Amino acid sequence: MKLRQYLVFGLAAATMATSFQACRPKGAGSAVTGDAAQRTYIPPGQYDEFYNFVSGGFSGQMSVYGLPSGRLFRVIPVFSVDPEKGWGFSEETKPMLQTSHGFVPWDDLHHIESSFTNGMPDGKWMFANSNNTPRLARINLETFRTDEIIEIPNTGGNHCSPFTTENSEYVIAATRFSVPPDGADSDVPIDSYKENFKGHISFVSVDKETGEFDIAFQLKTPGLNFDLSSAGKGVSNGWLFISCYNSEQAHTLLEVNASKNDKDFIMAINWKKAEEYFKAGRGTKQTNVRYAHNKWDEHTHTASHEIKTEVTVLDITEFEDLAYLIPCPKSPHGADVSPTGEYIVGSGKLAALIPVFSFEKLQAAISGNDFESERYDGIPVVKYESALHGEVEKPGLGPLHTEFDDKGNAYTSFFVSSEVVKWNVETLEVLDRQPTYYSVGHLMVAGGNSKNPYGKYLVAYNKITKDRFLPTGPELCHSAQLFDISGDKMELLLDFPTIGEPHYAQALPADLLMEKSLQIYDINANKHPYKTNGESEARVERNGNIVRVYMTTIRSHITPDVIEGIQMGDEVYFHVTNLEQDWDMPHGFAIKGANNSELLVMPGETTTLKWVPDRVGIFPFYCTDFCSALHQEMSGYVRVSPKGSNVPIKSYTGESTPTT
Ligand code: K7E
Ligand code: CUA
């Protein structure tokens, strides 16, 4: 299938069909300049300049690449189980994926945003959203692990998330699908959307020290689809800008019915005011919600899961000065705020121009009561022209997202015309355009959503790969493309394959993270209740049909490596403590017939695999991580006998030293 047909097939906006003719960029094979290889080549033994944290989309995970090399360093499991790392399979990690719907093994992770101090990445955490079963995650940048996941109530599709305020006071999560609020009254006809469906915007506070989440309050809104958002910064600190589509309030065939209005909205919210009202007790406690709050404890190496049942809600239509709507052409997607905080860029997916709004003008319009004569469901609507700084004319087709550099320029991705367009934020003049291969979604400039972008590199995350790599059957990886943006013209340097479907990403300078990256877990600080302190404590304990194996690993043996007296009907827990205190010395553990996964146990850590034997016999187990010259010798046996057998429970390592 040719790309053109592919796009027509994938994008149903028939009105734009004529423009598809010019979609495919010319000269796909030769767009790279001569010394591109040198500029992305990191010699063996040397480090990249940036860590690139990339969302995995439908993989549910986050991956970490180096820039400019495009080398993949790590996949951090977040919302989806990962058998490679035992995420969601070990007893310790299972609670992380619990929700009010029970254990959810998968999600769709779209956006990543770093924690900020004074509007700059501070290297503490990455935040991520799950789009399907609404949740927020916090990833620890010392351990590169997911430390916390909180579910978002009253929400149907947490797409507009996670966007953080200038000092990460709050992570914002707004619903993509308006739905009837949680609780008993939600059994309503779907065509009663206008009456019964509501949007909710959650303000999740972040503890300065620990990073711990708490849903401080939610703002209830008329039924709308919230798509994307940016918090204000600098002059606009204290405000929040959210793109809204489906101002038609359609509930069926949105493709057509939510594309009727010439303009939808960007909602401007004065969150400092909202916080004031919340603190003054003006919200209502809603007690018929149920949402999960899961936390990782780094001392016990174990997650906890609890269900919360209360949230405070403020109805924005009951307050005069909380929220305003700015008309924005044609189903806006990105709502991106310039580094100074003065400009808000709205990217209408079906629009032929890009409106750039001015915060100063917006404030003047609000204080001058310069509103449209009709409110939208109780919310004042600022006049389009009154808030407008100007329009970028003829920028391209299908604008989606905008990022900023360190020189006053903006870069917008165009899905339909498959290009990145550079323009000046003040003059709105188009300065450069470069084709992407193909159909770019998000793009990212290093630090491009901060107050002082690092600039230098731009990465385009493309939806369609086609002819960029060796073919791999019907499914191709999505491609990322690295551009050098240090000069006047963008220069394509590199294609690299990605995991899942990248949406948003962040790039942090390497020196912000590499020094504090954790190397081992201190075995003396390990407070896991089933830790084994040394090989002399390794043992097997039976309590009814529960058998606990206190097991240790160190190069190159597992203790104990002979286990007998297990019976059919037993539930066996292998509590594996890795006694190593050397960097990069994990050991793995796997046993034949296990219905879950391997464990990968980090130095100083204790991790548990549950195993229910399904037959009588001898079951080998072994270390899955090639750890030494005698890694193949790092193995053992479990003997399973019939229920009621008189084989005594015993275990040992080395010749006949039972530790019964
Ligand atoms: Cu444009 Cu989900 Cu941010 Cu993807 S969204 S591209
Ligand atoms: Cu331990 Cu291989």
Side-chain angles (χ1 to χ4, degrees), residues 110-111 159 228 333 401 441-442 463 503:
H110 280 222
H111 305 122
H159 186 264
L228 286 155
H333 192 54
H401 299 280
H442 271 274
K463 302 297 183 190
H503 295 259

Side-chain angles (χ1 to χ4, degrees), residues 182-444:
D182 292 353
D185 302 333
S186 55
D187 175 17
V188 298
I190 292 168
D191 65 6
S192 70
Y193 184 102
K194 286 185 194 187
E195 210 181 311
N196 290 320
F197 287 46
K198 300 290 171 201
H200 281 80
I201 303 163
S202 305
F203 287 74
V204 180
S205 62
V206 180
D207 185 276
K208 282 252 160 325
E209 294 306 313
T210 64
E212 190 171 326
F213 287 149
D214 182 39
I215 303 181
F217 58 93
Q218 292 188 311
L219 299 180
K220 181 159 107 178
T221 74
L224 272 169
N225 290 41
F226 297 120
D227 206 6
L228 286 155
S229 171
S230 295
K233 45 184 175 266
V235 291
S236 56
N237 184 27
W239 286 72
L240 177 70
F241 306 95
I242 305 180
S243 61
C244 315
Y245 65 104
N246 193 21
S247 57
E248 298 85 351
Q249 300 189 321
H251 69 277
T252 178
L253 196 62
L254 265 61
E255 176 185 2
V256 174
N257 293 329
S259 303
K260 286 183 176 159
N261 289 352
D262 191 42
K263 291 197 173 65
D264 292 278
F265 300 115
I266 285 179
M267 185 182 277
I269 292 175
N270 186 340
W271 68 256
K272 286 248 161 104
K273 259 271 149 30
E275 185 185 51
E276 256 174 61
Y277 288 135
F278 161 65
K279 287 186 173 160
R282 303 280 300 275
T284 308
K285 279 219 174 359
Q286 185 184 344
T287 54
N288 57 2
V289 291
R290 294 185 73 240
Y291 58 99
H293 190 189
N294 309 329
K295 289 182 279 186
W296 185 255
D297 182 327
E298 60 182 29
H299 303 294
T300 59
H301 303 283
T302 302
S304 61
H305 157 67
E306 69 172 317
I307 291 283
K308 295 196 161 174
T309 56
E310 199 175 270
V311 70
T312 301
V313 179
L314 290 86
D315 185 335
I316 59 165
T317 60
E318 290 170 9
F319 299 87
E320 269 306 304
D321 49 1
L322 271 193
Y324 306 89
L325 294 169
I326 311 170
C328 186
K330 307 252 59 149
S331 307
H333 192 54
D336 300 295
V337 176
S338 67
T340 61
E342 171 56 17
Y343 299 114
I344 303 116
V345 180
S347 300
K349 301 187 289 282
L350 306 178
L353 50 78
I354 305 174
V356 179
F357 301 102
S358 149
F359 182 71
E360 200 185 322
K361 285 187 160 181
L362 171 70
Q363 293 306 305
I366 292 170
S367 52
N369 270 314
D370 187 9
F371 299 128
E372 301 273 5
S373 52
E374 284 203 25
R375 292 185 166 216
Y376 179 88
D377 266 5
I379 309 173
V381 180
V382 174
K383 289 202 180 102
Y384 177 72
E385 289 75 17
S386 305
L388 191 70
H389 164 60
E391 293 168 341
V392 183
E393 310 265 2
K394 298 217 172 74
L397 293 167
L400 291 184
H401 299 280
T402 298
E403 289 265 290
F404 304 90
D405 71 6
D406 49 338
K407 301 187 192 86
N409 301 307
Y411 300 79
T412 301
S413 57
F414 289 85
F415 178 83
V416 177
S417 51
S418 262
E419 59 188 334
V420 177
V421 174
K422 173 182 177 180
W423 48 278
N424 182 283
V425 178
E426 284 294 336
T427 66
L428 308 178
E429 184 193 348
V430 172
L431 302 172
D432 187 25
R433 57 180 70 238
Q434 289 296 327
T436 55
Y437 308 97
Y438 306 93
S439 299
V440 56
H442 271 274
L443 77 183
M444 180 216 70

